[in-house]
């Protein structure tokens, strides 16, 4: 009997926990939720998906978003407040099109909203806007962050008060066009046997509006210290960087894009290297998978999206569920499902 119980316990621990959750809001479409706790309240900085009429293409042209709404709630499962338009693309002087996944940070008694958008020559850059309140409205700087490129900024505050921005995304996110921080519009997708494109990190300067140093590649490696090749597309980086710290270790999580996993890798420094550990969130309904991980009142949560409300890949809805770290620091994977 004892071994049967042990077998059952083991197989439960090894299998991803399945759960059903409901969209956090259903009056607008939302995606790419970056969650933070400010002043004891949960603030979510999501993309605001719309039906813009732009045709679907391989570069994600159908993700043609034009503003951001910030959401907040005082408890998981509590009422969600939509604070209205926090930043509109028409108020970003350098912006061309496609406001993609944002993030936010608090420093210098101000709130900073970081956002990727294509500039007027159709190259993704990362911008910053400021506000006195976490929910905005935010005022954008006149230029993108110098030296920034590609998409999906995620800003992590370390315990010593330093901030780091993680970013990048391949395919429509254009990261494959950047080598040694130089742009090549014809930069090809890597061949299957080549080393996969690596995510990027830059330390933020004290002004929170510029990089303090060079943009660096982040080494994402397997248990033997080897970087992944492009054909290892169930593990290699695609987009949606996020970093959280747990028991002194840095957890870098990300989406594998075309294989739709949210994976994580662990390291001892905010610059990596990060060693691959496994999947946090299995594929959801819809093509994209993008998340954030945050601690609130002693529990850890993953915010993510799927397409339960619309059934369309560019009209997503955000959700949240709890995740658990094991005693050895690994994370119990979760599997969302929609009936
Ligand atoms: O929302 C547009 C893009 O879709 C994001 O930047 C990616 O991470 C993917 O979720």
């Amino acid at each position: 009997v004892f071994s049967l119980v042990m077998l059952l316990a083991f197989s439960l621990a090894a299998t991803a926990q399945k759960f059903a959750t409901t969209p956090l809001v259903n009056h607008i479409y939302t995606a790419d939720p970056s969650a933070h706790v400010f002043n004891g309240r949960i603030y979510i900085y999501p993309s605001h998906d719309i039906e813009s009429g732009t045709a679907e293409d391989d570069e994600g042209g159908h993700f043609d978003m034009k503003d951001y709404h910030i959401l907040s709630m005082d408890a998981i499962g509590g009422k969600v407040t939509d604070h209205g338009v926090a930043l509109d693309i028409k108020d970003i002087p350098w912006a061309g099109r496609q406001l993609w996944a944002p993030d936010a940070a608090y420093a210098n008694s101000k709130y900073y909203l970081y956002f990727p958008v294509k500039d007027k020559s159709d190259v993704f850059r990362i911008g910053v806007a400021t506000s006195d309140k976490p929910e905005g409205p935010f005022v954008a700087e006149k230029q993108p962050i110098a030296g920034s490129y590609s998409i999906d900024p995620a800003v992590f505050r370390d315990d010593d008060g330093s901030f780091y921005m993680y970013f990048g995304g391949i395919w429509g996110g254009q990261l494959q066009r950047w080598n040694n921080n130089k742009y090549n519009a014809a930069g090809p997708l890597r061949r299957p046997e080549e080393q996969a494109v690596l995510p990027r990190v830059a330390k933020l300067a004290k002004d929170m509006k510029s990089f303090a140093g060079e943009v660096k590649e982040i080494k994402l490696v397997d248990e033997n210290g080897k970087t992944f090749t492009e054909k290892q597309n169930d593990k290699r980086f695609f987009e949606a960087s996020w970093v959280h710290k747990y028991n002194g270790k840095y957890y870098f999580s990300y989406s594998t894009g075309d294989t739709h996993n949210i994976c994580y890798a662990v390291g001892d420094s905010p610059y990596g290297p990060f060693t691959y550990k496994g999947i946090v969130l299995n594929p959801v309904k819809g093509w994209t998978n993008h998340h954030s991980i945050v601690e609130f009142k002693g529990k850890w949560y993953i915010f993510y999206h799927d397409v339960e409300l619309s059934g369309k890949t560019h009209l997503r809805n955000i959700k949240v569920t709890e995740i658990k770290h094991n005693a050895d620091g690994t994370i119990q994977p979760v599997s969302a499902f929609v009936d």
Side-chain angles (χ1 to χ4, degrees):
V1 172
F2 177 74
S3 44
L4 260 181
V5 170
M6 287 307 285
L7 189 65
L8 186 65
F10 178 75
S11 50
L12 274 179
T15 334
Q17 295 299 305
K18 288 203 169 172
F19 59 91
T21 48
T22 48
L24 288 177
V25 292
N26 57 19
H27 65 292
I28 54 172
Y29 292 113
T30 51
D32 311 323
S34 295
H36 291 274
V37 179
F38 294 133
N39 312 317
R41 194 172 168 84
I42 301 166
Y43 286 87
I44 309 165
Y45 298 83
S47 298
H48 176 200
D49 286 354
I50 50 165
E51 186 58 87
S52 71
T54 310
E56 184 164 339
D57 60 36
D58 285 347
E59 303 254 285
H62 48 308
F63 294 103
D64 194 11
M65 296 85 102
K66 302 196 188 305
D67 65 21
Y68 294 116
H69 283 230
I70 288 146
L71 309 173
S72 73
M73 53 201 198
D74 60 12
I76 298 289
K79 180 175 172 283
V80 180
T81 303
D82 174 356
H83 297 276
V85 176
L87 181 65
D88 193 299
I89 196 165
K90 69 175 166 33
D91 298 320
I92 304 168
W94 56 273
R97 61 179 178 135
Q98 295 181 291
L99 273 182
W100 282 13
D103 194 19
Y106 175 72
N108 309 325
S109 308
K110 290 207 178 309
Y111 294 88
Y112 297 86
L113 179 70
Y114 298 96
F115 55 89
V117 66
K118 282 180 178 163
D119 65 15
K120 295 193 196 293
S121 54
D122 238 21
V123 178
F124 267 116
R125 304 276 180 184
I126 297 169
V128 56
T130 51
S131 176
D132 293 331
K133 293 186 283 178
E135 69 272 26
F138 286 86
V139 178
E141 293 294 302
K142 299 214 170 353
Q143 297 291 337
I145 295 176
S148 72
Y149 53 85
S150 196
I151 60 166
D152 292 359
V155 175
F156 165 73
R157 182 189 188 278
D158 207 348
D159 301 329
D160 66 358
S162 304
F163 286 87
Y164 300 86
M165 181 187 288
Y166 299 83
F167 63 92
I170 60 171
W171 296 18
Q174 305 178 337
L175 191 59
Q176 70 279 359
R177 299 183 188 173
W178 291 88
N179 282 306
N180 299 319
N181 297 329
K182 302 238 167 11
Y183 183 70
N184 170 10
L189 290 172
R190 301 257 170 114
R191 290 193 309 278
E193 63 284 356
E194 284 186 284
Q195 182 189 292
V197 177
L198 296 172
R200 305 295 208 266
V201 60
K203 190 171 186 181
L204 284 169
K206 291 265 177 270
D207 69 0
M208 298 294 281
K209 296 175 182 174
S210 55
F211 292 154
E214 251 220 324
V215 171
K216 297 180 197 301
E217 289 186 338
I218 298 169
K219 264 189 135 193
L220 191 59
V221 297
D222 66 14
E223 69 278 14
N224 300 313
K226 272 189 71 182
T227 49
F228 296 115
T229 57
E230 183 53 37
K231 74 173 170 224
Q232 291 176 287
N233 65 339
D234 58 335
K235 296 191 176 79
R236 65 92 171 86
F237 174 78
F238 189 103
E239 62 186 4
S241 299
W242 188 262
V243 168
H244 74 278
K245 202 169 180 182
Y246 180 79
N247 277 352
K249 299 271 187 199
Y250 299 84
Y251 286 64
F252 177 78
S253 47
Y254 58 97
S255 170
T256 59
D258 54 332
T259 52
H260 321 290
N261 298 318
I262 299 292
C263 296
Y264 73 105
V266 178
D268 293 314
S269 152
Y271 291 111
F274 296 104
T275 305
Y276 179 87
K277 294 291 177 191
I279 292 177
V280 192
L281 176 63
N282 282 293
V284 295
K285 195 174 174 193
W287 198 96
T288 64
N289 201 355
H290 188 131
H291 70 301
S292 63
I293 294 173
V294 68
E295 186 179 19
F296 185 63
K297 299 196 172 160
K299 290 185 170 182
W300 287 87
Y301 296 92
I302 185 164
F303 287 75
Y304 67 101
H305 65 230
D306 63 23
V307 299
E308 179 181 344
L309 289 177
S310 74
K312 292 184 183 170
T313 213
H314 63 294
L315 298 176
R316 301 161 289 180
N317 48 259
I318 61 166
K319 297 183 168 183
V320 61
T321 196
E322 190 181 345
I323 54 166
K324 291 191 171 128
H325 297 81
N326 294 311
D328 65 359
T330 55
I331 301 177
Q332 295 176 16
V334 285
S335 276
F337 67 90
V338 174
D339 292 326

